[in-house]
Amino acid sequence: MLKPLAVLIVLALPVQADEPAPVLADYWTNSGSLPPEYAWETSVLIREDGQLELKHCRGYETEGPACKQRKAKVPATALEAIRTAATDSGLLEEPARETDAPVVGGGMTWGHVYLPGGTVELLPQPAEADVQRVGKVLAAIAAAIPPRFERFTDPD
């Protein structure tokens, strides 16, 4: 039989929920402005522990049957490749600038990498001088996404 004091102590202890690991990178890609039957958007979160969460929606829906969610595990080598690409890009110290001539209506890909020193922003339409730096980091993130999910990141 539990004594009243023991019951109070047990009830006062906080419940520890399994907190997800911090996000290392996020990545979005979409079809651009198209009629709903052709439009799509995919978002990907890659966590520090390698957990990947993908959400792909068709049309302009954001929930429900038009959206598919998938999970995967990213290898440590791919996580390190993302960190290295983001660090080597110099985008933390010298962020990319937006283009002076943005394209309207087309598909876009963009994202972020969260490093201890700050956030690397990967613009969808960087200035010409920054295209290669942003592209290398986006490519490292895309390479970490398992090939079986390619149909969600480039469904056309």
Side-chain angles (χ1 to χ4, degrees):
M1 178 172 175
L2 290 175
K3 298 193 182 219
L5 182 57
V7 172
L8 283 175
I9 291 172
V10 169
L11 292 176
L13 292 174
V15 176
Q16 288 193 325
D18 288 330
E19 291 285 325
V23 174
L24 169 63
D26 54 39
Y27 179 91
W28 292 282
T29 188
N30 67 38
S31 62
S33 301
L34 292 175
E37 61 269 21
Y38 303 108
W40 57 269
E41 179 176 272
T42 299
S43 63
V44 177
L45 284 180
I46 299 174
R47 298 187 179 277
E48 289 282 348
D49 64 358
Q51 293 302 311
L52 178 142
E53 303 161 22
L54 178 142
K55 181 177 181 182
H56 175 78
C57 297
R58 288 217 160 268
Y60 290 99
E61 300 297 322
T62 58
E63 299 296 329
C67 297
K68 305 284 185 214
Q69 295 187 4
R70 300 287 187 268
K71 293 187 178 194
K73 180 77 171 169
V74 174
T77 54
L79 298 175
E80 192 54 37
I82 293 169
R83 287 186 196 98
T84 299
T87 301
D88 291 352
S89 72
L91 290 166
L92 192 56
E93 300 80 18
E94 185 183 331
R97 297 170 313 275
E98 291 186 25
T99 184
D100 292 333
V103 175
V104 178
M108 293 188 187
T109 300
W110 65 100
H112 301 90
V113 177
Y114 304 94
L115 298 173
T119 300
V120 174
E121 185 173 2
L122 305 166
L123 300 173
Q125 296 187 44
E128 189 174 333
D130 297 319
V131 167
Q132 188 174 21
R133 295 188 307 147
V134 170
K136 284 183 178 180
V137 183
L138 286 170
I141 297 170
I145 300 170
R148 70 181 186 270
F149 294 154
E150 187 174 299
R151 69 184 187 273
F152 299 121
T153 58
D154 188 14
D156 298 329

